[in-house]
Amino acid sequence: MTENQTWVTEFILLGFPLSSSMQMLLCGLFSLFYVFTLLGNGVILGLISLDSRLHSPMYFFLSHLAIIDISYASNNVPKMLVNLLNKKNTISFVPCIMQTFLYMAFAHTECLILVVMSHDRYVAICHPLRYSVIMSWRVSISLVVTSWACGSLLALVHVGLVLRLPFCGPHAINHFFCEILSVLKLACADTKLNQVVIFAASVFVLVGPLCLVLASYARILVAILRIRSAEGRRKAFSTCSSHLCVVGLFFGSAIVMYMAPKSHHPEEQQKILSLFYSLFNPMLNPLIYSLRNKEVKGAFRRVVWKDRLM
């Protein structure tokens, strides 16, 4: 360090280098997507809480996925929308680090929740007679608490390693939020340890869970093929295919972002990938589950008709 270096107290989020008219258009479009995200996931939470038929472990896990999606989007999108309207896109150091922590915590927790949901479907289809015993409410709550705890602890490790680094300039983050890889590029010290921990965490919360999910669904596929009833096979495929869509969207974009060679996706492409699983994926999740799930659609009709009768 030289004596004339100053410590950074705030960062500039460069966002998307577009014209003012294009930024206004994106602001309106992303605002619409954000509203759909809040409404869609909010409706799922409301239906699960109001309809007693949805008070099962499967929908208990789905409610936590909806909470994560709302939190995920709310952590990044509002600041991005403000920056699209303002010329001075600054964020203080502490809110930036907090944004990084929450982003990583929600991302890690969602990975683990998706694994728990795949295990739930495996037990429901392959061991239906023992489902209430294996996936009891005590076990379900323990799995959810463990997922949140592990996700938060992993994020805390990442943030702790970031806070040990000096940030003395430059202070321009080439992203629309404080994404950890973009923040590390501004550190005035060696970040190899951070990179190793990020890669190891990616193996733990991306590759490992993805393998568990695929193993569960391989067994589910075998079990489905053994079902003699065409209606039973159709119902099982419908339920599981919606989950696989979510898994493919989330894990695919995250693995490309954090585990693919950096030369294969430059910074602008990284922004698009981050935008995909920060905004598009949380918006698509409730659509996938509601449009492909008869029980959710049935609960929606029952709630609507109940309100009309009242």
Side-chain angles (χ1 to χ4, degrees), residues 104 108 154 157-158 161 179-181 184 191-209 254-262 265:
M104 300 301 291
H108 292 153
L154 281 172
V157 170
H158 288 303
L161 291 175
E179 195 271 331
I180 188 168
L181 295 179
L184 288 177
T191 61
K192 287 183 180 178
L193 177 60
N194 299 75
Q195 300 287 348
V196 170
V197 172
I198 289 173
F199 184 83
S202 298
V203 173
F204 177 72
V205 298
L206 289 177
V207 178
I255 288 175
V256 171
M257 180 68 183
Y258 290 101
M259 302 197 71
K262 297 299 179 289
H265 47 92

Side-chain angles (χ1 to χ4, degrees), residues 1 161-162 164-167 184-196:
M1 300 290 177
L161 291 175
V162 170
R164 74 181 179 86
L165 298 172
F167 292 89
L184 288 177
K185 293 178 181 179
L186 307 185
C188 305
D190 187 12
T191 61
K192 287 183 180 178
L193 177 60
N194 299 75
Q195 300 287 348
V196 170

Side-chain angles (χ1 to χ4, degrees), residues 208-265:
L210 181 59
C211 291
L212 292 175
V213 170
L214 293 178
S216 295
Y217 277 96
R219 295 183 178 182
I220 289 173
L221 180 61
V222 173
I224 290 175
L225 294 176
R226 292 176 180 173
I227 298 176
R228 295 182 179 181
S229 169
E231 177 64 20
R233 286 196 300 268
R234 187 200 60 77
K235 184 177 179 180
F237 269 121
S238 177
T239 303
C240 296
S241 61
S242 61
H243 186 200
L244 281 175
C245 288
V246 174
V247 169
L249 290 171
F250 183 83
F251 281 92
S253 56
I255 288 175
V256 171
M257 180 68 183
Y258 290 101
M259 302 197 71
K262 297 299 179 289
S263 59
H264 290 179
H265 47 92

Side-chain angles (χ1 to χ4, degrees), residues 271-289:
K271 295 178 189 179
I272 296 174
L273 287 171
S274 297
L275 188 64
F276 185 85
Y277 56 80
S278 296
L279 182 58
F280 297 152
N281 204 42
M283 180 185 67
L284 292 174
N285 282 354
L287 294 176
I288 291 172
Y289 279 106

Side-chain angles (χ1 to χ4, degrees), residues 11-67:
F11 296 108
I12 297 176
L13 297 172
L14 298 181
F16 299 97
L18 301 170
S19 62
S20 298
S21 59
M22 183 59 70
Q23 287 187 344
M24 290 292 292
L25 178 62
L26 287 180
C27 182
L29 186 62
F30 293 160
S31 298
L32 193 62
F33 289 165
Y34 181 54
V35 170
F36 284 155
T37 298
L38 297 182
L39 287 176
N41 288 286
V43 167
I44 285 182
L45 287 173
L47 291 176
I48 292 173
S49 63
L50 292 174
D51 197 311
S52 59
R53 300 184 189 184
L54 301 184
H55 292 174
S56 64
M58 173 183 174
Y59 294 102
F60 175 65
F61 300 141
L62 180 57
S63 67
H64 280 269
L65 182 63
I67 292 172

